Amino acid sequence: QVQLVESGGGSVQAGGSLILSCAASADIYSSNCMGWFRQAPGKEREGVARIYTITGKTYYDDSVKGRFTVSRDNAKNTVYLQMTGLQPEDSAIYYCAAALPWSGCQERARADAYTYWGQGTQVTVSS
């Protein structure tokens, strides 16, 4: 069964850090583009970062470059999003997503490029 399960959300003060995890079922993790997205109330879902699991190549939205790091552990079929220097504008529900295997990662900044989604985890940053 295809599955993506996020964990690690929570509440922090501005300047704080959090690490999100996304455990994926093996059939969608291998050789795949795994993305992190976020959606704040009243806003569209936006891409934050993504990683191609077979090569480890990463991509970031300009809003999080230098603050967020996406990584993966192939032995655990898990991707991570390490978030530092969090600001109130980073508050949102964060989602993990997976594209279809072997379909590349470079042109997958948009949410409609992904097939599978996790349930989301809330991140709240207070000032």
Side-chain angles (χ1 to χ4, degrees):
Q1 181 179 357
V2 173
Q3 197 170 22
L4 292 172
V5 180
E6 302 104 332
S7 61
S11 297
V12 297
Q13 290 190 329
S17 301
L18 283 172
I19 299 177
L20 306 183
S21 300
C22 172
S25 52
D27 53 351
I28 61 170
Y29 178 88
S30 299
S31 306
N32 206 348
C33 187
M34 303 290 292
W36 284 100
F37 288 77
R38 64 187 179 187
Q39 189 167 18
K43 294 189 176 181
E44 291 189 357
R45 192 168 296 190
E46 63 176 359
V48 173
R50 61 195 186 275
I51 185 167
Y52 198 38
T53 58
I54 194 170
T55 63
K57 186 170 177 59
T58 58
Y59 307 81
Y60 296 93
D61 184 79
D62 287 344
S63 65
V64 304
K65 279 181 181 176
R67 299 190 300 126
F68 291 11
T69 301
V70 60
S71 61
R72 93 289 196 207
D73 184 336
N74 290 344
K76 297 181 178 179
N77 294 340
T78 299
V79 295
Y80 303 94
L81 184 67
Q82 182 175 4
M83 306 184 292
T84 63
L86 284 163
Q87 298 300 317
E89 53 266 34
D90 294 316
S91 296
I93 299 175
Y94 282 71
Y95 296 91
C96 175
L100 292 174
W102 295 106
S103 57
C105 205
Q106 184 169 354
E107 303 298 330
R108 295 195 179 277
R110 292 169 53 90
D112 58 8
Y114 293 80
T115 302
Y116 307 104
W117 291 85
Q119 80 286 356
T121 185
Q122 178 71 48
V123 171
T124 303
V125 185
S126 57
S127 58

